[in-house]
Amino acid sequence: MSGNFGDLRELYQEVIFDHNRNPRNFHEMADANRSAEGYNPLCGDQLTVYLKVDGDVVADASFVGHGCAISTASASLMTEAVKGQPVDQVESLFKDMHAMLTESHPEGRDFGKLEVLSGVREFPARVKCATLAWHTLHNAIASARDVAQTE
Ligand code: ZN
């Protein structure tokens, strides 16, 4: 293994530790119009994602919950990445993130800071920790298409 690879891993871990210690957008959202809950029984990770969808744009995103460092960091990085993005781009990011975390890096996609999560591919037991926030995000967006809300 090259020294550069080691440095990169260290940097990735730094970012994950930082987002776990100080999760961004970690709060309930009183004026959210979409939300979904996610649970990863393999690890016990539990989170709720809140979105404020304004027209075709995810105007705001936040989450609450508890879980391991990977699940918290993934949710924190996710809320940062999707805030202010068009819904269709968020959905496309969900698909590419899922591919990146479970299979391989989709060609031509620059994940920016989200790249730090790619390391979980080496640890199959942790993949669901990283994908949980994204599945929950996807479910929250899907709920945006429901015209009828019962609550
Ligand atoms: Zn976990």
Side-chain angles (χ1 to χ4, degrees):
M1 274 180 216
S2 77
N4 285 341
F5 184 67
D7 292 346
L8 194 60
R9 280 193 66 142
E10 240 167 65
L11 173 71
Y12 284 7
Q13 287 182 355
E14 275 296 307
V15 174
I16 288 171
F17 287 150
D18 174 44
H19 276 263
N20 178 48
R21 264 193 311 262
N22 303 299
R24 319 300 198 267
N25 308 300
F26 188 74
H27 55 82
E28 291 183 19
M29 195 190 295
D31 59 347
N33 49 14
R34 312 295 171 217
S35 70
E37 286 173 31
Y39 178 53
N40 169 21
L42 290 178
C43 181
D45 309 315
Q46 209 162 6
L47 54 87
T48 305
V49 170
Y50 299 94
L51 300 176
K52 188 155 78 181
V53 177
D54 185 4
D56 292 331
V57 172
V58 176
D60 203 1
S62 72
F63 78 105
V64 296
H66 55 86
C68 66
I70 300 282
S71 71
T72 301
S74 182
S76 173
L77 286 158
M78 179 198 75
T79 56
E80 275 195 330
V82 305
K83 249 184 172 184
Q85 296 298 313
V87 169
D88 57 350
Q89 285 192 28
V90 170
E91 282 287 67
S92 137
L93 180 61
F94 158 71
K95 286 195 197 86
D96 285 352
M97 277 301 290
H98 192 261
M100 187 260 264
L101 294 169
T102 59
E103 296 153 28
S104 63
H105 202 298
E107 231 165 276
R109 162 71 91 170
D110 178 6
F111 287 103
K113 209 196 278 182
L114 295 169
E115 189 71 46
V116 301
L117 296 166
S118 64
V120 301
R121 268 208 312 269
E122 294 170 46
F123 307 96
R126 311 310 301 276
V127 166
K128 283 189 160 57
C129 300
T131 57
L132 176 65
W134 296 88
H135 280 293
T136 311
L137 168 76
H138 177 64
N139 287 345
I141 287 175
S143 79
R145 300 199 180 105
D146 294 339
V147 176
Q149 296 273 330
T150 51
E151 33 179 74

PDB file of all heavy atoms in Angstrom, residues 40 43 45 68 71 126 129, ligand 1:
ATOM      1  N   ASN A  40     -31.380   0.372  10.724  1.00  0.00           N
ATOM      2  CA  ASN A  40     -30.467  -0.688  10.283  1.00  0.00           C
ATOM      3  C   ASN A  40     -30.284  -1.679  11.424  1.00  0.00           C
ATOM      4  O   ASN A  40     -29.486  -1.455  12.320  1.00  0.00           O
ATOM      5  CB  ASN A  40     -29.119  -0.072   9.889  1.00  0.00           C
ATOM      6  CG  ASN A  40     -28.049  -1.127   9.670  1.00  0.00           C
ATOM      7  OD1 ASN A  40     -28.352  -2.289   9.423  1.00  0.00           O
ATOM      8  ND2 ASN A  40     -26.803  -0.710   9.777  1.00  0.00           N
ATOM      9  N   CYS A  43     -26.847  -3.080  12.924  1.00  0.00           N
ATOM     10  CA  CYS A  43     -25.952  -2.278  13.758  1.00  0.00           C
ATOM     11  C   CYS A  43     -26.723  -1.521  14.826  1.00  0.00           C
ATOM     12  O   CYS A  43     -26.148  -1.099  15.829  1.00  0.00           O
ATOM     13  CB  CYS A  43     -25.184  -1.310  12.861  1.00  0.00           C
ATOM     14  SG  CYS A  43     -23.998  -0.253  13.685  1.00  0.00           S
ATOM     15  N   ASP A  45     -28.473   1.248  14.036  1.00  0.00           N
ATOM     16  CA  ASP A  45     -28.557   2.648  13.609  1.00  0.00           C
ATOM     17  C   ASP A  45     -30.010   3.023  13.345  1.00  0.00           C
ATOM     18  O   ASP A  45     -30.741   2.275  12.710  1.00  0.00           O
ATOM     19  CB  ASP A  45     -27.764   2.884  12.314  1.00  0.00           C
ATOM     20  CG  ASP A  45     -26.350   2.353  12.392  1.00  0.00           C
ATOM     21  OD1 ASP A  45     -25.701   2.597  13.413  1.00  0.00           O
ATOM     22  OD2 ASP A  45     -25.913   1.693  11.437  1.00  0.00           O
ATOM     23  N   CYS A  68     -23.945   4.406  14.835  1.00  0.00           N
ATOM     24  CA  CYS A  68     -22.486   4.380  14.842  1.00  0.00           C
ATOM     25  C   CYS A  68     -21.930   5.587  14.083  1.00  0.00           C
ATOM     26  O   CYS A  68     -22.670   6.344  13.454  1.00  0.00           O
ATOM     27  CB  CYS A  68     -21.999   3.083  14.205  1.00  0.00           C
ATOM     28  SG  CYS A  68     -22.393   2.963  12.455  1.00  0.00           S
ATOM     29  N   SER A  71     -22.817   5.785  10.273  1.00  0.00           N
ATOM     30  CA  SER A  71     -24.194   6.154   9.925  1.00  0.00           C
ATOM     31  C   SER A  71     -24.440   7.635  10.204  1.00  0.00           C
ATOM     32  O   SER A  71     -25.103   8.323   9.413  1.00  0.00           O
ATOM     33  CB  SER A  71     -25.211   5.287  10.674  1.00  0.00           C
ATOM     34  OG  SER A  71     -25.249   5.599  12.045  1.00  0.00           O
ATOM     35  N   ARG A 126     -20.371  -2.914   7.258  1.00  0.00           N
ATOM     36  CA  ARG A 126     -20.657  -1.503   7.528  1.00  0.00           C
ATOM     37  C   ARG A 126     -21.372  -0.794   6.385  1.00  0.00           C
ATOM     38  O   ARG A 126     -21.733   0.377   6.526  1.00  0.00           O
ATOM     39  CB  ARG A 126     -19.351  -0.738   7.822  1.00  0.00           C
ATOM     40  CG  ARG A 126     -18.452  -1.385   8.841  1.00  0.00           C
ATOM     41  CD  ARG A 126     -19.203  -1.764  10.124  1.00  0.00           C
ATOM     42  NE  ARG A 126     -19.840  -0.642  10.796  1.00  0.00           N
ATOM     43  CZ  ARG A 126     -19.197   0.173  11.638  1.00  0.00           C
ATOM     44  NH1 ARG A 126     -17.938   0.014  11.870  1.00  0.00           N
ATOM     45  NH2 ARG A 126     -19.846   1.158  12.229  1.00  0.00           N
ATOM     46  N   CYS A 129     -24.642   0.693   7.208  1.00  0.00           N
ATOM     47  CA  CYS A 129     -24.520   1.879   8.067  1.00  0.00           C
ATOM     48  C   CYS A 129     -24.434   3.127   7.197  1.00  0.00           C
ATOM     49  O   CYS A 129     -25.011   4.163   7.515  1.00  0.00           O
ATOM     50  CB  CYS A 129     -23.274   1.783   8.937  1.00  0.00           C
ATOM     51  SG  CYS A 129     -23.260   0.354  10.027  1.00  0.00           S
TER      52      CYS A 129
HETATM   53 ZN    ZN B   1     -23.845   1.378  12.005  1.00  0.00          ZN
END
